[in-house]
Structures are given as structure tokens and as C-alpha cells.
Amino acid sequence: MRAARANARTVSAILPAHAWEVRSAGDGAHGLREYAWALVPLTGRDGFDDALLIRRSLADGERAYYLVHAPANTPLADIVRAAGARWAIEECFQAAKNEAGLDHYQVRHHSARYRHITLAMAAAAHLAAVRAIAHEKGDAGTI
């Protein structure tokens, strides 16, 4: 099915049952995060495909929508794994904001913003490495 000009909710509502696949988005705090997923092609160019990825909760039917831009013929399992990694990535950015001041800048010039973000992300990576080393040595409570 191709979505022409319909909104995501409409497309989601008219998908046939065979368009949905139950897959895990990875481990969560309470085990595997299993949802029903559907991928609706939109457009494609230059060897990449654009698509609407729809996640439906198995418990209550709640839906979430993602715009996907991936290499042509990327398997649904790979796209779902990438969507599932979003939570961990957001946690890393939140930690970088809290621990390394990633969000403490004023945008005046692109080069200054770029330098600040680069320095903050390097500091966050260093802190993560120090934390991992301390954890390996059993000193995790000191960091």
C-alpha cells in the first residue's frame, strides 16, 4: 500500500491485518518490548526509501508514528531495531545535557555552536568511559 496524501492515523486505520508484524523493539526495563509494526512506503530516491513506520501496542492498541529514511530494501527487523534504539539515544543526550552542559549555549554563530556541542559530546564520552572503567574495577559507587 502506498500512502498518497492521507495522514498517518488514517493510513494506520485502513491497513489490513496482514500488514502488521509482531516484533521486539529490544530489551526494556520489564523484558522484551513487543509491538505490532507496519511499514508503509512513501517515496524513494537515490537508493533510499522513505516510509511511514507505525508501532501499535499489543496491550491497548496505542499507536506511534515514525518517518523512516533508509537504504532501499532495508528489512523491517532492522528498521524496528533502529526505532527501538531511539530511547537509549535520547537517554544519552539527556545525560550529556545534565552532566556535560550540552544544552548550555546561546546560538549566535554556527561555528560557536558546533564547537560547544563537539566539546560537550567529547566530555560526555569521556565521562562514560571513566564510568565504564570504574564499573569494571568494581568502583562504580565512586563515580
Side-chain angles (χ1 to χ4, degrees):
M1 168 183 191
R2 283 207 173 265
R5 294 288 242 159
N7 69 33
R9 285 190 180 139
T10 303
V11 170
S12 175
I14 63 173
L15 284 175
H18 65 82
W20 297 93
E21 291 183 33
V22 175
R23 295 193 170 270
S24 171
D27 288 331
H30 304 287
L32 287 179
R33 297 178 292 145
E34 289 189 321
Y35 298 94
W37 298 86
L39 189 64
V40 180
L42 298 174
T43 60
R45 61 191 183 297
D46 300 328
F48 284 84
D49 287 335
D50 294 333
L52 172 65
L53 178 66
I54 306 167
R55 182 188 76 198
R56 185 182 71 203
S57 171
L58 298 177
D60 60 9
E62 182 180 344
R63 296 174 188 205
Y65 306 94
Y66 305 83
L67 285 176
V68 175
H69 183 72
N73 302 317
T74 302
L76 178 62
D78 292 347
I79 293 171
V80 167
R81 189 174 332 131
R86 182 178 148 243
W87 176 76
I89 293 166
E90 286 180 7
E91 291 252 324
C92 289
F93 274 105
Q94 188 61 43
K97 288 177 182 180
N98 292 339
E99 298 171 3
L102 178 62
D103 59 346
H104 294 186
Y105 64 89
Q106 293 180 355
V107 178
R108 291 203 173 106
H109 299 286
H110 172 71
S111 59
R113 177 181 167 269
Y114 179 79
R115 284 192 297 266
H116 174 79
I117 289 173
T118 302
L119 181 60
M121 293 305 290
H126 175 74
L127 290 171
V130 168
R131 189 177 300 117
I133 291 168
H135 183 72
E136 286 178 3
K137 291 182 179 179
D139 299 334
T142 60
I143 300 283

